[in-house]
Each structure stands twice: as C-alpha cells, then as structure tokens.
Amino acid sequence: MPSFDFLERITLSLPGHVLFAFLLSYVFAFTHPPLPGVPKRCESDHLDVVWVPDVAPSEHVAPSADFSMCAGEFVEVYGSPSNSVPASARVFDGVLTSFFLDTARNVLVYIKTIAKIVRPGGLWANVGPLLYHYAEMPHEMSVEFSAEEILRVIKNWFNLLKVEWRDCYYTSNNKSMMQYHCLHFVAIRNEKPSPELAPGVTG
C-alpha cells in the first residue's frame, strides 16, 4: 500500500536513497488562455516538478509512534463497534483533519466520532474549507452548518485553544491565484463522556 510506505518506511536521509518519483502535477491544470477562476502567474508554472515524497514522516516522529490507516468510510471504521478495527486501536492521543470536515453528509456525525476516539487531554487540530461536497448533488443528503455552529458543537467535548481563518492551496499550484479560505482550530478533549452514535449511522 503506497500510503503505508510513505508514512512508515520512507527515509529520505538513507545513503543512496532515491525519491520515488517526480510529477508534472500541473501540466494539464491550465489552458491557454487560462480557465476562468484558475489563473496562473507565469507561462512556465504548469511545468513545475513535484517530488514525491518531499518529507519522510518516519524522520519526524518517534519510532514507537503508530499511524492508523484503514480503507473505508470514516464513521464506519472508527465510530462503529462492529467492525474489524479493535476498540483499543480506535483511541488516539491526537487527530489531525485536513480538508476533511466538509466531506461529510452530516458533519455532526464526524464531530461525534472524533470526540469518541480522542482520549481526554488529547488533541484535535483541523484545517480546511467548508465547501460541502454533497451540497450540489441531487438525491444526496447534505447538512451544511456554518463555522460558528460547528464550533459550538465541538465545545461540547473539546476546549478550543485556537480558532482562526487561513488561506491555503491544498493540492493546487501554490504559484496560482486559486486559494481556499480555511477554518483552522486546535482543541483539547475534555472529560465529558463520549457521545453515542446510532447503529448504522455514517458521515
């Protein structure tokens, strides 16, 4: 699994180590003239090279650190007691959510799941926009809460240490002028009991 290799095995400082690949990620990102809403600054921007991986996570964490990766829907994997992931593997010291909250049909279910899997005193850090993925899809449920409403719910199980807005590029070309306006917060899990999720509920 490539994700496992990137997180656990790649060490950039090994003698003779060669990076996996380089990608011309932006070669098809622009037309001439540029597509509306996706402007570029220079003609050569779409030929920029991206090296993969550019950072080796294994060089920045303790050898005993444990990453969790599991294919599947987030709430089904980490929120449901009836799955293949043991309960002991569903409690974490910290959870980082990047460009994630707005992938939910109902973000409240995501929040309750995160509250359930972060231990008291554990950290939750988030950055990402609120461009709800299912908002424009016919026949799909989509509950679109404001940032203010989301933070109010989070306060039930977390103490907010920092809340701010940041402009981010995500996987877009950082030389382009296309940005996301993102909600960034850092929160610590309080002692309030974990919320219960109804059986069969997904995000």
Side-chain angles (χ1 to χ4, degrees), residues 121-145:
L123 179 142
W124 176 17
N126 173 81
V127 64
L130 295 176
L131 301 173
Y132 293 99
H133 289 204
Y134 294 96
E136 304 299 328
M137 294 187 184
H139 314 300
E140 289 283 357
M141 184 190 80
S142 180
V143 184
E144 295 116 37
F145 291 98

Side-chain angles (χ1 to χ4, degrees), residues 9-21:
R9 293 179 177 172
I10 297 300
T11 304
L12 300 184
S13 60
L14 285 176
H17 174 75
V18 178
L19 293 175
F20 271 8

Side-chain angles (χ1 to χ4, degrees), residues 34-203:
L35 291 173
V38 192
K40 62 179 180 178
R41 299 176 186 177
C42 303
E43 292 182 3
S44 60
D45 285 351
H46 64 290
L47 296 177
D48 278 356
V49 169
V50 177
W51 290 95
V52 179
D54 59 341
V55 174
S58 60
E59 294 184 351
H60 296 273
V61 297
S64 59
D66 183 27
F67 289 98
S68 174
M69 289 180 293
C70 186
E73 198 276 331
F74 174 66
V75 177
E76 290 180 351
V77 171
Y78 292 106
S80 172
S82 57
N83 60 45
S84 58
V85 181
S88 60
R90 296 200 303 270
V91 178
F92 298 91
D93 296 320
V95 170
L96 307 178
T97 49
S98 175
F99 283 69
F100 177 68
L101 292 183
D102 59 357
T103 66
R105 290 177 173 85
N106 183 348
V107 69
L108 299 186
V109 180
Y110 275 13
I111 294 171
K112 289 182 177 181
T113 301
I114 293 169
K116 188 174 182 179
I117 65 176
V118 176
R119 65 165 179 79
L123 179 142
W124 176 17
N126 173 81
V127 64
L130 295 176
L131 301 173
Y132 293 99
H133 289 204
Y134 294 96
E136 304 299 328
M137 294 187 184
H139 314 300
E140 289 283 357
M141 184 190 80
S142 180
V143 184
E144 295 116 37
F145 291 98
S146 68
E148 182 181 38
E149 291 168 318
I150 288 172
L151 293 172
R152 190 182 304 139
V153 174
I154 289 172
K155 288 179 182 178
N156 285 308
W157 300 284
F158 291 86
N159 299 322
L160 290 166
L161 302 183
K162 177 192 291 187
V163 177
E164 62 184 5
W165 290 91
R166 292 186 176 183
D167 290 328
C168 301
Y169 292 101
Y170 188 49
T171 57
S172 298
N173 186 345
N174 62 8
K175 292 183 180 179
S176 79
M177 291 178 278
M178 181 178 179
Q179 294 183 333
Y180 294 89
H181 198 48
C182 297
L183 173 64
H184 172 242
F185 62 78
V186 178
I188 299 296
R189 181 71 167 89
N190 60 28
E191 298 289 339
K192 188 173 181 178
S194 301
E196 293 298 324
L197 295 175
V201 170
T202 64

